[in-house]
Amino acid sequence: NVEPRSVPVFPWHSLVPFLDSSQPG
Amino acid sequence: PAAAAPGSNPSHFMKGAIIQLATGELKRVEDLQTQDFVRSAEVSGGLKIDSSMVMDIRSSQQRPGLVSLHFTVGEQQSKVTIDVPPEHPFFVFGQGWSSCSPERTAQLYGLTCHLLQVGDMCVSITLQQQQ
């Protein structure tokens, strides 16, 4: 028997950088 | 300003990787479009999409092999620098996945990319400011 393997699911926000815009440069 | 490096798990960007939008919809990473990010941020509550313009691209002084990307972020025009591998993909508004080395991105992830260039507007996220 082959056990079903779960496919990983990634959240959308893991694909784009978190850049803090709260402090003007 | 603080900057968090993009996710370190490269499997996010493997062609065929399943991505869950904030709407619950599932898409393959190579099929994502600008509107998917915009809509996800709208319904996520707490996260905001920012436009981050690429101002400069050069080899990292501190970390050989990496590329230093200089951005101005959001309405505040904050200056943020991050060091990433040249194959790291960024999502450019209206264009799609782009990296400093599309060839390496294709080799490592199988993901088709444009060449990331100065002036490109990348999708980034920040925490939503409470008014």
Side-chain angles (χ1 to χ4, degrees), chain A residues 7-25, chain B residues 2 4 11-12 18-20 22 32 40 50 52 73 76 78 124-127:
Chain A
V7 178
V9 177
F10 302 102
W12 69 275
H13 52 76
S14 66
L15 294 169
V16 290
F18 181 88
L19 301 177
D20 183 0
S21 65
S22 62
Q23 301 175 46
Chain B
S11 55
H12 295 192
I18 305 297
I19 308 301
Q20 183 164 39
L32 291 172
S40 285
D50 261 334
S52 296
V73 183
Q76 305 273 349
S78 312
S124 65
I125 50 175
T126 55
L127 291 177

Side-chain angles (χ1 to χ4, degrees), chain B residues 88-90 92 94-103 105 111-117 120:
Chain B
H88 191 97
F90 291 86
V92 174
Q95 174 171 285
W97 293 114
S98 307
S99 78
C100 297
S101 177
E103 296 83 5
T105 309
L111 189 66
T112 301
C113 277
H114 297 265
L115 180 64
L116 188 68
Q117 294 178 300
D120 283 348

Side-chain angles (χ1 to χ4, degrees), chain A residues 19, chain B residues 51-58 67-73 80 90-92 98 100 115-123:
Chain A
L19 301 177
Chain B
S51 301
S52 296
M53 181 180 278
V54 179
M55 302 303 288
D56 192 29
I57 302 173
R58 61 182 61 196
V67 178
S68 283
L69 294 173
H70 298 251
F71 292 100
T72 54
V73 183
V80 175
F90 291 86
F91 201 92
V92 174
S98 307
C100 297
L115 180 64
L116 188 68
Q117 294 178 300
V118 170
D120 283 348
M121 298 289 283
C122 296
V123 173

